[in-house]
Amino acid sequence: MKGKILDGREVSKRIKESLKERIEKMKEERGITPGLAVIITGGNPSAISYVRSLEKVCRQTCVNSFVYELPAETSEEDLIKLINELNIRDDVNGILVQLPLPKHINPEEVAKAIKPSKDVDGFNPINAGKLFRGEKCLVPCTPKGVMRLISEYGIELKGKKAAVVGRSNIVGKPVSQLLLNKDATVVICHSKTKELDEELISCDIIVSAAGKPGFIKSNMVKEGAVVIDVGTTMVEGKLMGDVDFEEVIEKASFITPVPGGVGAMTTAMLIENVLEAMETYD
Ligand SMILES: Nc1nc(=O)c2c([nH]1)NC[C@@H]1CN(c3ccc(C(=O)N[C@@H](CCC(=O)O)C(=O)O)cc3)C=[N+]21
């Protein structure tokens, strides 16, 4: 079987266009504009490039963006003070604090400081807990992008066996929970998993978020499986996924490319979360 490409770029473009229409209508009818605050501390290249793409997406969808570029020496106290100001501002509906943070700042404290109703990254423990319990909440953008790509292509999850490779709070755990909420049977694999090959070969869906370029080979994939690649590692200036794409596409029914797959969905999901934060909560 030669797999069909799950085209994140195309889906994301369509979603952004419809978000723009909704936002323009909102402005016309209610005189309001959504606002996103983005805080970046220090100069991590991947975080900087994400901020630039967020500014672009906000322009494209008519969302106000407020970018705070803080020096790496900023104290945790000062960062949380800024978050508290943004928490009470009426023109800010979503707050995103770029990761990674400098070593002296505790990401858990930062996640807790963001008001749950403005937590468009879904990192606050209130949102994480609601996700765990299957309640409505702000869902982290990349996991949300994985689920949207799957549903846009009409892929059924009910009763299917899914493997998630990776157990981070940002991708692995939330994706597992979302798959479970859609009635999949979920196996969470990680670096200590024994016989990873055997786990994966029995699965109808594989979501890999391991950050190990090219390590999912075709001998680990069942004929006709859906393969979602969340890994993005820079190798010699080139973005590489976890999946050996050329090999695995020959066996998969659907597969995401890197770039142009899940990563391309992230910013669209973020804007969707800003709107959700504005309309649904508080
Ligand atoms: N609090 C927080 N939330 C984040 O979501 C977050 C973060 N911090 N820190 C930095 C990373 C990085 N990140 C990316 C998102 C989309 C693409 C993306 O659009 N990728 C395109 C390719 C872009 C290209 O070709 O350079 C794709 O995969 O098709 C990349 C990187 C979100 N991050």
Side-chain angles (χ1 to χ4, degrees), residues 157-200:
L157 291 171
K158 197 174 183 170
K160 297 282 174 66
K161 188 168 171 197
V164 176
V165 186
R167 53 173 157 176
S168 72
N169 287 326
I170 298 171
V171 181
K173 281 188 226 167
V175 141
S176 310
Q177 208 55 52
L178 290 164
L179 290 165
L180 180 62
N181 291 348
K182 291 282 179 201
D183 298 323
T185 299
V186 184
V187 184
I188 306 171
C189 305
H190 47 79
S191 55
K192 306 290 185 296
T193 298
K194 289 180 182 160
E195 321 288 357
L196 176 66
D197 301 27
E198 276 170 38
E199 293 292 352
L200 298 190

Side-chain angles (χ1 to χ4, degrees), residues 9 46-47 50 96-100 121 123 142 232 239 259-261 263-264 266:
R9 234 170 240 148
S46 127
Y50 188 48
L96 184 150
V97 180
Q98 286 287 319
L99 299 176
D121 253 333
F123 289 172
T142 300
T232 49
L239 202 59
T266 308

Side-chain angles (χ1 to χ4, degrees), residues 195-213:
E195 321 288 357
L196 176 66
D197 301 27
E198 276 170 38
E199 293 292 352
L200 298 190
I201 197 89
S202 69
C203 287
D204 308 302
I205 295 140
I206 296 174
V207 179
S208 185
K212 294 181 190 165

Side-chain angles (χ1 to χ4, degrees), residues 7 47 54 71 119 146 174 184 222 244 271 278:
D7 187 346
L54 287 179
D119 172 35
V146 169
K222 182 164 113 177
D244 188 327
I271 301 299
M278 187 179 194

